[in-house]
Amino acid sequence: LSEAPAWYEKLRSRSGFATLALEFCTLTAARSGEVRGATWSEIEGDLWIVPAKRTKTGQEHRIPLSSRSIEILAQMPKSNAIIFPNTRGGQLSDAALSACMKRINDTAKNGFLDRISGRPAVPHGLRSTFRDWVAELTEFPADMAEIALAHKVGSAVERAYRRGDMLNKRREMMEYWFQFLSSSK
């Protein structure tokens, strides 16, 4: 968690669609497959709506975009349906984001390692970093972090009555997440 801002600074120093996809993935705390498959039709202003058919839970997931996430989208060409295309216009492979992380890891003195496993950081670990940040360094409720990660919250009965997704509150949380990541200087 403490290394996240230094890692993010190294990420920001790189270029390319895979790098921007990895940054967008980090800022949204989304799964890499959701980011790699993201299309322009899913973007509505400062909101990314991942359709149910593309989520692990099978439910639509609304993701408020931070100011930096919106800047990233503004850099991407609109000539393709996919936001982060590969060189042939199709979806980036999972290996593209992993390779980007490996290159960043290789530039660090001792690498960026998972604090539990001791292995080099991987894209999915960014979601754990986000969750740890919410729990350890913020006052945002745990439920809000779980909703941001598109996890099911509460029992089946509670979910039947709780239909909101804390979208407006999550807007603030995602902007603070970006500010935290940018705090290495």
Side-chain angles (χ1 to χ4, degrees):
L1 182 59
S2 62
E3 292 182 319
W7 176 86
Y8 185 69
E9 183 177 20
K10 287 190 176 289
L11 174 67
R12 292 283 309 265
S13 72
R14 306 184 72 78
S15 62
F17 287 173
T19 299
L20 289 170
L22 182 59
E23 184 179 1
F24 193 80
C25 190
T26 304
L27 293 169
T28 59
R31 291 177 175 88
S32 67
E34 293 168 349
V35 171
R36 291 181 293 107
T39 64
W40 288 109
S41 64
E42 297 171 358
I43 304 297
E44 293 183 12
D46 66 350
L47 190 63
W48 173 28
I49 303 171
V50 185
K53 67 183 178 192
R54 292 200 324 100
T55 68
K56 186 175 179 179
T57 62
Q59 297 177 331
E60 178 183 275
H61 183 52
R62 300 186 315 159
I63 303 172
L65 301 174
S66 67
S67 56
R68 176 62 189 153
S69 296
I70 293 167
E71 287 175 12
I72 291 169
L73 293 177
Q75 294 177 46
M76 301 307 299
K78 307 259 188 316
S79 57
N80 195 319
I82 293 179
I83 296 173
F84 301 102
N86 63 24
T87 55
R88 294 177 310 281
Q91 184 173 308
L92 286 169
S93 72
D94 190 35
L97 273 63
S98 295
C100 184
M101 279 202 78
K102 183 180 181 330
R103 286 189 295 274
I104 292 168
N105 195 52
D106 290 347
T107 66
K109 183 177 180 182
N110 295 313
F112 293 101
L113 306 177
D114 179 276
R115 67 180 172 86
I116 304 297
S117 70
R119 293 188 198 128
V122 296
H124 193 73
L126 298 167
R127 289 169 50 83
S128 292
T129 302
F130 170 79
R131 186 60 183 92
D132 287 346
W133 169 78
V134 172
E136 297 176 20
L137 298 177
T138 79
E139 298 297 321
F140 293 113
D143 283 2
M144 202 157 77
E146 293 301 314
I147 291 168
L149 292 167
H151 291 162
K152 291 183 178 178
V153 177
S155 67
V157 172
E158 184 180 353
R159 288 192 305 271
Y161 286 93
R162 183 186 200 170
R163 297 182 184 175
D165 63 2
M166 305 172 111
L167 181 66
N168 289 328
K169 291 181 177 183
R170 287 190 297 121
R171 285 183 198 287
E172 179 183 22
M173 182 174 64
M174 300 318 284
E175 191 63 35
Y176 279 131
W177 172 233
F178 163 57
Q179 290 173 12
F180 166 73
L181 290 169
S182 301
S183 67
S184 71
K185 294 177 172 130

